Amino acid sequence: KFAGRLAFATSWAAGCLGRPVLRPIFDQALRDGARQVSPLLPSVRGALAFLIEVLRRPGGLPPRSFRFARAARPTVRIWTDAMFVPGSPAGIAFYVEFPAEPSRGLPRTERFHGSIFVGEEVTGRFVPAKAQYIGQLELLAALTPYTSLGGKLKGRRVVHWIDNTSAIAALCKGYSAAPDSARILQACAVLRLDLDCPIWFQWVPSKANIADLPSRREYGLL
């Protein structure tokens, strides 16, 4: 019951803040059953400590809000992508467009892109012995424009294109059954709250995803 009530409470929070850390709580509930009582797992203690800190912040758990008025500034456009081939270095990349705002002294569209190969120092933190890590890498790629350009994105509305449907579903729900994906989603939720950045996630075909190029270190078109 406790895990279910936490899931309900966090479902209406801004960016589903707190939902990703519920996984260990559900794991313990399923393991113990309805009548059995056992000591809390360390992961459960960590999840509860995080939720307590969120509730202690001014205003408590932040409610989800919807903005229907026309935005004062044009919508920012973001594309992200990841590349994973077993036995080769993985790659993640983003491409961002800030539309021109002549009234603010920005006569041209600003464009930014970034990419990096992801080595074992990162993939080694994922759940071991899996054949594929593309889902985790797509989520990691989705996080990078907000950590890299956070100051410029603060308070802006964003449309964010990704060519991986499972990553979009996880970002929209704010939850994943995979513990490594859940950790990335929690970082996304905290960052979105700090940036006050409403994001609409949208699928795009891989061949139309411009971030696919820098993820493979192809920069000619950019």
Side-chain angles (χ1 to χ4, degrees):
K1 289 184 178 180
F2 179 63
R5 289 173 179 173
L6 283 176
F8 174 77
T10 55
S11 66
W12 53 260
C16 296
L17 182 68
R19 289 205 78 193
V21 302
L22 299 183
R23 170 61 191 270
I25 300 175
F26 276 106
D27 283 348
Q28 176 137 13
L30 291 172
R31 189 190 69 171
D32 292 350
R35 298 180 180 180
Q36 183 179 350
V37 178
S38 62
L40 292 179
L41 298 169
S43 56
V44 174
R45 293 181 182 275
L48 293 175
F50 174 83
L51 290 170
I52 289 171
E53 287 302 312
V54 170
L55 293 172
R56 284 176 175 169
R57 66 184 294 275
L61 196 63
R64 185 179 300 182
S65 61
F66 299 89
R67 304 176 186 180
F68 297 103
R70 183 184 296 273
R73 305 183 67 182
T75 299
V76 178
R77 300 182 288 266
I78 294 178
W79 292 258
T80 58
D81 195 33
M83 182 269 293
F84 179 79
V85 177
S88 301
I92 58 175
F94 67 83
Y95 178 87
V96 182
E97 288 187 348
F98 292 87
E101 296 181 87
S103 62
R104 292 176 175 264
L106 301 172
R108 300 183 183 86
T109 296
E110 290 186 298
R111 296 177 174 87
F112 299 87
H113 66 84
S115 61
I116 190 171
F117 282 138
V118 179
E120 291 186 359
E121 69 279 3
V122 174
T123 57
R125 296 174 178 268
F126 296 155
V127 174
K130 294 181 68 175
Q132 274 284 352
Y133 292 107
I134 189 62
Q136 290 82 354
L137 290 166
E138 290 280 4
L139 292 176
L140 192 62
L143 180 62
T144 55
Y146 305 97
T147 57
S148 302
L149 300 169
K152 291 181 68 64
L153 289 167
K154 192 171 181 65
R156 300 294 298 270
R157 289 184 178 181
V158 172
V159 176
H160 186 150
W161 283 276
I162 303 173
D163 60 17
N164 184 284
T165 53
S166 64
I168 293 174
L171 288 162
C172 290
K173 292 185 299 181
Y175 181 81
S176 172
D180 42 11
S181 294
R183 285 193 290 269
I184 300 172
L185 289 169
Q186 186 57 31
C188 290
V190 173
L191 191 57
R192 287 170 63 182
L193 177 64
D194 180 60
L195 293 177
D196 185 27
C197 184
I199 306 170
W200 179 272
F201 293 103
Q202 182 69 44
W203 179 78
V204 62
S206 295
K207 291 184 178 180
N209 187 356
I210 193 170
D212 179 71
L213 299 174
S215 76
R216 302 174 187 278
R217 296 296 177 94
E218 297 176 11
Y219 302 110
L221 183 61
L222 302 177

